[in-house]
Amino acid sequence: MEHRFLIRSKNRVFKVFKVMQHANSDITIIPYKSVYLNGEFIDGYDYGEKLMLAIDGNDLMIDHYSAHSETGQRHIKFDPKKPAIEPISGAAFKSEASLIPLATILATTNTSEDQEPTKGKWSGIQMPDDTDYCVFDVYAAPKGVSVGFNIHHSINNTKQSVENIFNVPPISLRTVDIQVITRTSNHNQCTLPVNVFVQQRVGKTAQIVRVDGNELDVQISSLSIQ
């Protein structure tokens, strides 16, 4: 089973990612034109610290992200035939009745324009006219299980910009529901020609708060499951 996500800016359509769950319950995300923000830097910073990280749009593109249900390992690959990058050990979720943090994906309107799908299952986000990027926070939860989660970050809104948060209706896969929260801001313009992919984890993590040109406004935050 698979589901695709896209963003629509005025009359233009852009692919963001495709998520699927296999017969063995493993979850795969295939992001569209996405470079990878390696999370190994997180350990060197404390909760609440803020960073501006420049992104190189010429970096190698991600092939896919995997979350394995039996072992709980999560990782990304640039090439399916080569070893995984930044493997993360998580709880096995095949029988876990809790939220599964997957990824944060920054989607921009500077990638190649596409067409609205004519078949298959997909969801779209209509962007406000004065925004050019959207942040997708992606989680999975067992079907029929009510879970809560908290993400903490702060914004110094000196420009009185408009910050929008949208909840996407849960997407039903084989054994889990995909839950997505999207965020937009008209604070500054995004000039990145690519999307950006970040693995998520329970505990200390990195949250993309805003984008300024080719730099990500990142805050070291906490993700807790209730």
Side-chain angles (χ1 to χ4, degrees), residues 34-54:
S34 293
V35 299
Y36 182 53
L37 178 59
N38 194 307
E40 294 179 349
F41 72 92
I42 295 172
D43 293 337
Y45 296 89
D46 294 326
Y47 289 110
E49 288 196 69
K50 299 180 180 180
L51 312 168
M52 294 297 293
L53 302 179

Side-chain angles (χ1 to χ4, degrees), residues 26-92:
D26 290 358
I27 296 171
T28 297
I29 294 177
I30 300 177
Y32 182 71
K33 287 191 175 180
S34 293
V35 299
Y36 182 53
L37 178 59
N38 194 307
E40 294 179 349
F41 72 92
I42 295 172
D43 293 337
Y45 296 89
D46 294 326
Y47 289 110
E49 288 196 69
K50 299 180 180 180
L51 312 168
M52 294 297 293
L53 302 179
I55 299 298
D56 186 349
N58 295 315
D59 283 349
L60 193 62
M61 300 291 172
I62 295 171
D63 181 81
H64 71 273
Y65 160 91
S66 293
H68 293 282
S69 64
E70 292 280 3
T71 64
Q73 187 192 85
R74 290 90 152 117
H75 61 248
I76 69 107
K77 283 192 174 184
F78 295 111
D79 185 332
K81 299 178 181 179
K82 294 184 178 180
I85 304 298
E86 195 188 352
I88 295 173
S89 296

Side-chain angles (χ1 to χ4, degrees), residues 17 24-25 36 63 70 107 123 130 141 164-165 177 193 202 207 221:
F17 66 97
N24 62 359
S25 297
Y36 182 53
D63 181 81
E70 292 280 3
S123 297
D130 58 351
N164 293 297
I165 299 178
D177 290 332
V202 175
Q207 293 295 325
S221 185

Side-chain angles (χ1 to χ4, degrees), residues 24 31 56 73 95-96 101-102 112 154 161 176 187 205 208 225:
N24 62 359
D56 186 349
Q73 187 192 85
S95 59
E96 185 83 2
L102 297 177
S112 300
S154 60
S161 56
V176 300
H187 185 73
T205 189
I208 299 174
I225 297 173

Side-chain angles (χ1 to χ4, degrees), residues 188-201:
N188 278 316
Q189 185 177 12
C190 173
T191 60
L192 285 170
V194 294
N195 298 331
V196 181
F197 189 96
V198 183
Q199 286 200 80
Q200 282 296 358
R201 65 201 79 191

Side-chain angles (χ1 to χ4, degrees), residues 159-174:
K159 291 186 177 181
Q160 300 298 307
S161 56
V162 178
E163 314 290 326
N164 293 297
I165 299 178
F166 305 98
N167 287 311
V168 178
I171 304 304
S172 179
L173 296 182
R174 189 180 299 273

